[in-house]
Amino acid sequence: MNLKILTKLEDMFQRSPQLLADQPTLKKAIRATFGVDVSNVFFKEMSQLADRIDELVLEKYFSEHWQSRTKKYKYSGLKLIDEVNNLKPKAVLDVGCGFNEFKGKIHNLTGIDPYNSKADIKVTITDYAPSVEGIPLTEDKKFDVIICLGSINFGSADKIFRELENIMRISAPAAKMYFRVNPGLQHAKPEAKWITFYPWESTFIVNCADHFKVDLLELRDDSNGRLYFVWAKP
């Protein structure tokens, strides 16, 4: 749940309650406030409308305004190419791959992203359910390396946790997972104004590792104020 958007909607309805009964005007107000066009503004709970706006805000930002800074990261940048390839992985998943920069550089890689057409598959993290010819993957065919560089970082803790659950589900035994996360720093571009960046911190990382029964191999500060950590399944 994006609380910034939800709070702003509540403020809009308090100031102009007539918007609740005037869908055309509500669409215009949403466009003027959040910069996105919502086709369906009907809701039973305001959180439903907030979620629709949140998804459109993310899509617009990451498809039109965001630019990759992979080369600027010390641990979670280009260094990962050799590190992952040295593992001789059978299947690598780049979660939120953006422009799919590691494609052709990291062996056996599939890039997924909900917003970027350069991805091999356009899909959200929670909706991704890999299969072979429609048959769900068996344990020996799941991903033995998963890369999540800035992709599991949007919304509230429950959304982050659901995305991590799916990462665990599709990772093979002994899989290694590489993460770059944002501790809540807002992007400078004005188009990112309504995006909620989840404030990752070390305690959350350690406690999640304990919950998912994975080993925490590394946890350190990366460049640009980000955190870098590596999990491994036993």
Side-chain angles (χ1 to χ4, degrees):
M1 172 58 60
N2 186 321
L3 294 180
K4 286 196 291 189
I5 292 176
L6 185 63
T7 301
K8 184 60 179 178
L9 282 174
E10 180 66 34
D11 179 67
M12 288 167 60
F13 292 137
Q14 284 184 341
R15 293 174 180 272
S16 304
Q18 63 270 28
L19 291 174
L20 292 165
D22 187 345
Q23 291 192 9
T25 303
L26 176 56
K27 289 180 180 180
K28 293 178 182 178
I30 290 172
R31 172 64 182 173
T33 303
F34 302 105
V36 295
D37 294 308
V38 180
S39 59
N40 176 20
V41 293
F42 173 79
F43 61 88
K44 291 183 178 180
E45 296 182 1
M46 202 183 305
S47 60
Q48 296 172 325
L49 181 57
D51 284 343
R52 284 179 220 143
I53 295 171
D54 183 38
E55 184 63 23
L56 290 169
V57 166
L58 285 167
E59 180 176 14
K60 183 174 182 179
Y61 179 66
F62 284 104
S63 64
E64 299 180 15
H65 303 286
W66 174 80
Q67 294 179 325
S68 173
R69 299 194 296 175
T70 301
K71 295 180 180 179
K72 296 185 178 181
Y73 291 100
K74 182 176 181 180
Y75 302 109
S76 60
L78 298 179
K79 173 180 177 289
L80 283 181
I81 295 174
D82 288 338
E83 185 165 346
V84 172
N85 283 336
N86 287 338
L87 297 173
K88 302 187 184 305
K90 295 179 181 179
V92 180
L93 183 67
D94 189 350
V95 176
C97 65
F99 296 104
N100 218 353
E101 296 171 87
F102 290 132
K103 190 72 174 181
K105 299 173 183 175
I106 291 179
H107 305 321
N108 305 317
L109 180 139
T110 298
I112 66 169
D113 194 286
Y115 313 118
N116 200 305
S117 60
K118 296 290 186 180
D120 296 305
I121 305 170
K122 287 188 71 175
V123 64
T124 66
I125 299 170
T126 51
D127 288 340
Y128 182 58
S131 63
V132 176
E133 296 180 353
I135 302 173
L137 290 181
T138 55
E139 287 296 320
D140 63 323
K141 293 184 178 179
K142 292 182 178 182
F143 294 97
D144 46 359
V145 175
I146 296 182
I147 302 169
C148 306
L149 305 182
S151 52
I152 301 183
N153 228 125
F154 308 102
S156 50
D158 59 325
K159 181 173 181 285
I160 300 297
F161 195 77
R162 288 195 304 271
E163 292 173 344
L164 290 173
E165 283 183 319
N166 200 38
I167 295 302
M168 294 300 119
R169 187 181 65 81
I170 62 179
S171 57
K176 292 188 74 172
M177 291 155 275
Y178 297 85
F179 294 85
R180 180 203 306 138
V181 294
N182 182 338
L185 303 175
Q186 192 70 27
H187 285 196
K189 290 181 180 291
E191 294 83 4
K193 175 182 178 181
W194 296 108
I195 296 176
T196 296
F197 294 89
Y198 184 76
W200 281 84
E201 47 89 36
S202 58
T203 301
F204 184 75
I205 293 168
V206 171
N207 288 340
C208 282
D210 181 64
H211 172 79
F212 291 117
K213 296 179 172 56
V214 296
D215 297 321
L216 178 60
L217 303 184
E218 288 189 65
L219 173 56
R220 60 180 70 193
D221 291 333
D222 205 337
S223 310
N224 301 303
R226 301 314 193 253
L227 295 173
Y228 168 74
F229 64 96
V230 182
W231 284 349
K233 277 189 170 181

